[in-house]
């Protein structure tokens, strides 16, 4: 009996092994490393390691990380972010937080990439806000500062200039900025007009950073736009209005989304200029605004069976499950079961389910302008997503 059991099952095991070998993402991708810049949409844990000027942000507390990492990693999500799904789909390890790497004894392979993003980071330097009397609730980690960390790290990444060129040419640099410049200003009580007047400064800061990265010969730069913040539960609660005219048919705040749209338009115009000046650089606009917007229009189509404007983690109140004075992580907040049924995790940030779908849209080329070279990612993508679709 025992021997025929083995005889019957060995070929089947071999068969399974072959299928796994074909589907397992290995280095099919054109990209050999990922570098991250930005804020809480991209931070994979820097905030855990930077000495805090005040209390640590809520994203380092449970229930953050409950879906995927099963403990808080410093990511502002129940699980993985866009940069995490991208890394997995390229067959690369999760992008290590710069400050975690700096403190470790060199066990992390920097050549696969490093993440400089920090929760709350604006594009503009602190001085911009100080001059205008806007206080900074977060750390001094503007785009300029993150870029300087990157430049400081480069010599230790590569022993020779030609190694460096090779490394940077085959890297994918992912950047998201803007949200915190505007939100910080709005929360400081400044009106929409003042916030709009900051947009050209923010976009110029982003575009001059891209120019510097092009000079460093970074191969591909993906710059994400702003999310439709006017659809997110925290802002819907904070700026709640009795005037129905302020809301669109999806229940989103029109004036707030218009600020994000203005930023995204201006950013795309700038990116076009940069592409004309540097035809050999690959500059991709990651349209996370339009990738996320349908979630609020047809939530069920995407598996979001709960009210799309309700945060998964909050104090329990209707209609948004948000009390603007208590952030997820602090009592008495709690998370509902099944975060994958929600678009928003904590009112500010999306769930890993939403980030997964956004990443799919980016890497399939539907929400990348120009479309990302899908032959660089498609095999890996289909292997990863086939587990969930
Ligand atoms: C990281 O290193 C800095 C100084 O180099 C230190 O102040 C900090 O406590 C360290 N953080 C961790 C998490 O070990
Ligand atoms: C903030 O960062 C800027 C740019 O790197 C630097 O010039 C400034 O001294 C920093 N401020 C503080 C308080 O660390
Ligand atoms: C929000 O939380 C604060 C602090 O716990 C509490 O004092 C307040 O009553 C809450 N507001 C609402 C609308 O529940
Ligand atoms: C896309 O990537 C493949 C694989 O590296 C390459 O052969 C092809 O030329 C690229 N296509 C474009 C349009 O860049």
């Amino acid at each position: 009996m025992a021997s025929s059991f083995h005889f019957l099952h060995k070929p089947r095991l071999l068969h399974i092994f072959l299928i796994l070998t074909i589907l397992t993402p290995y280095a099919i991708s054109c990209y050999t490393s990922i570098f991250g810049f930005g804020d809480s949409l991209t931070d994979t844990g820097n905030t855990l390691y930077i000495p805090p000027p005040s209390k640590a942000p809520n994203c380092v507390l449970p229930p953050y990380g409950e879906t995927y990492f099963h403990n808080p990693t410093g990511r502002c999500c129940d699980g993985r972010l866009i940069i995490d799904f991208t890394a997995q789909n390229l067959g690369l390890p999760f992008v290590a937080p710069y400050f975690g790497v700096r403190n470790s004894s060199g066990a992390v392979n920097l050549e696969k990439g490093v993440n400089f993003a920090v929760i709350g980071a604006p594009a503009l330097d602190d001085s911009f806000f100080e001059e205008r009397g806007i206080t900074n609730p977060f750390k001094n980690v503007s785009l300029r500062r993150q870029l300087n960390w990157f430049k400081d790290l480069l010599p230790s990444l590569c022993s020779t200039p030609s190694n460096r060129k090779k490394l940077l040419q085959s890297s994918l640099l992912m950047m998201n900025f803007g949200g915190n410049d505007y939100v910080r200003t709005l929360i400081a009580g400044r009106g929409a007009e003042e916030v709009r007047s900051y947009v050209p400064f923010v976009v110029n800061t982003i575009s001059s950073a891209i120019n510097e990265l092009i000079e460093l010969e970074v191969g591909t730069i993906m710059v994400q736009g702003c999310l439709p913040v006017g659809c997110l539960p925290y802002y819907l609660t904070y700026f709640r209005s009795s005037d129905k005219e302020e809301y669109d048919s999806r229940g989103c705040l029109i004036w707030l989304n218009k600020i994000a749209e203005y930023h995204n338009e201006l950013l795309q115009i700038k990116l076009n200029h940069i592409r004309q000046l540097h035809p050999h650089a690959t500059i991709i606009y990651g349209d996370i605004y339009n990738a996320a917007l349908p979630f609020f229009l047809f939530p069920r189509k995407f598996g979001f069976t709960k009210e799309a404007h309700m945060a998964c983690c909050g104090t329990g109140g209707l209609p948004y499950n948000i009390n603007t004075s208590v952030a997820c992580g602090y009592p008495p907040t709690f998370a509902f079961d099944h975060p994958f049924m929600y678009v928003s995790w904590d009112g500010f940030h999306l769930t890993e389910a939403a980030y997964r779908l956004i990443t799919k849209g980016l890497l399939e080329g539907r929400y990348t302008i120009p479309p990302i070279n899908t032959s660089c990612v498609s095999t890996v993508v289909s292997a990863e997503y086939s587990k969930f679709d």
Side-chain angles (χ1 to χ4, degrees):
M1 264 318 268
S3 69
S4 71
F5 180 88
H6 277 117
F7 176 77
L8 280 172
H9 282 76
K10 254 183 197 158
R12 220 184 278 169
L13 279 176
L14 185 67
H15 187 61
I16 289 166
F17 173 76
L18 284 176
I19 291 171
L20 286 178
T21 310
I22 292 161
L23 289 182
T24 301
Y26 53 96
I28 310 161
S29 145
C30 312
Y31 304 111
T32 57
S33 61
I34 299 178
F35 292 92
F37 294 82
D39 57 28
S40 54
L41 294 189
T42 305
D43 185 357
T44 52
N46 277 312
T47 304
L48 279 182
Y49 301 99
I50 300 178
S54 54
K55 66 177 179 179
N58 58 316
C59 298
V60 306
L61 303 170
Y64 285 87
E66 67 166 25
T67 300
Y68 187 80
F69 299 97
H70 307 300
N71 60 349
T73 60
R75 287 169 175 82
C76 290
C77 185
D78 59 311
R80 288 161 287 180
L81 308 174
I82 293 170
I83 193 169
D84 293 316
F85 284 117
T86 303
Q88 285 193 308
N89 285 303
L90 298 181
L92 293 170
F94 291 130
V95 187
Y98 174 61
F99 284 90
V101 173
R102 277 217 320 196
N103 274 24
S104 79
S105 48
V108 182
N109 186 354
L110 297 176
E111 297 198 350
K112 298 281 170 75
V114 184
N115 194 352
F116 302 95
V118 178
I119 296 170
L124 297 165
D125 284 330
D126 282 2
S127 57
F128 180 93
F129 297 100
E130 279 159 15
E131 282 162 17
R132 288 160 179 81
I134 295 166
T135 52
N136 174 13
F138 292 101
K139 300 163 180 100
N140 184 17
V141 285
S142 62
L143 173 49
R144 162 61 41 204
R145 198 90 185 279
Q146 294 183 21
L147 201 58
N148 288 346
W149 293 334
F150 179 57
K151 289 181 173 176
D152 290 346
L153 185 70
L154 282 179
S156 62
L157 269 180
C158 331
S159 45
T160 66
S162 82
N163 277 353
R164 178 173 113 178
K165 184 168 175 177
K166 221 165 91 187
L167 177 99
L168 294 185
Q169 278 289 303
S170 63
S171 69
L172 172 65
L173 194 145
M174 300 181 75
M175 182 186 284
N176 95 280
F177 278 102
N180 284 288
D181 297 85
Y182 309 130
V183 163
R184 175 187 294 188
T185 308
L186 285 167
I187 302 291
R190 306 302 170 87
E193 273 320 300
E194 179 167 348
V195 175
R196 286 176 72 86
S197 75
Y198 292 5
V199 171
F201 293 100
V202 171
V203 168
N204 282 340
T205 303
I206 295 172
S207 68
S208 63
I210 293 169
N211 280 322
E212 287 182 47
L213 291 163
I214 291 172
E215 277 170 34
L216 293 170
E217 300 186 87
V218 171
T220 303
I221 303 172
M222 188 198 288
V223 189
Q224 293 167 27
C226 286
L227 282 171
V229 280
C231 302
L232 302 181
Y234 181 89
Y235 307 106
L236 285 166
T237 309
Y238 196 95
F239 298 109
R240 201 167 174 182
S241 168
S242 54
D243 182 359
K244 287 198 165 57
E245 306 260 293
E246 287 195 20
Y247 298 89
D248 66 13
S249 59
R250 309 174 193 95
C252 303
L253 281 165
I254 296 168
W255 67 270
L256 200 45
N257 275 350
K258 279 201 166 144
I259 294 173
E261 284 169 16
Y262 177 44
H263 168 93
N264 293 345
E265 276 165 29
L266 225 54
L267 178 61
Q268 289 182 78
I269 291 169
K270 275 280 175 190
L271 296 184
N272 276 333
H273 287 165
I274 295 173
R275 287 185 198 108
Q276 280 160 13
L277 292 172
H278 305 278
H280 299 296
T282 307
I283 314 292
I284 295 173
Y285 173 65
D287 190 1
I288 62 173
Y289 184 97
N290 285 304
L293 205 57
F295 301 165
F296 300 96
L297 195 53
F298 314 109
R300 286 174 177 274
K301 193 180 146 200
F302 298 94
F304 301 121
T305 48
K306 302 292 179 184
E307 166 56 42
H309 295 103
M310 185 143 103
C312 178
C313 180
T315 45
L318 290 172
Y320 304 119
N321 187 26
I322 290 293
N323 176 334
T324 53
S325 51
V326 199
C328 173
Y330 299 116
T333 62
F334 62 94
F336 290 122
D337 289 342
H338 310 311
F340 64 86
M341 293 180 177
Y342 297 80
V343 180
S344 171
W345 163 242
D346 61 2
F348 297 95
H349 308 101
L350 308 190
T351 56
E352 98 149 19
Y355 287 140
R356 176 203 305 285
L357 289 168
I358 291 174
T359 311
K360 189 176 191 302
L362 294 175
L363 297 188
E364 286 179 353
R366 255 179 303 145
Y367 293 106
T368 37
I369 304 168
I372 194 163
N373 183 342
T374 51
S375 73
C376 288
V377 291
S378 57
T379 317
V380 188
V381 170
S382 58
E384 161 74 10
Y385 287 118
S386 61
K387 285 184 252 162
F388 310 100
D389 285 351

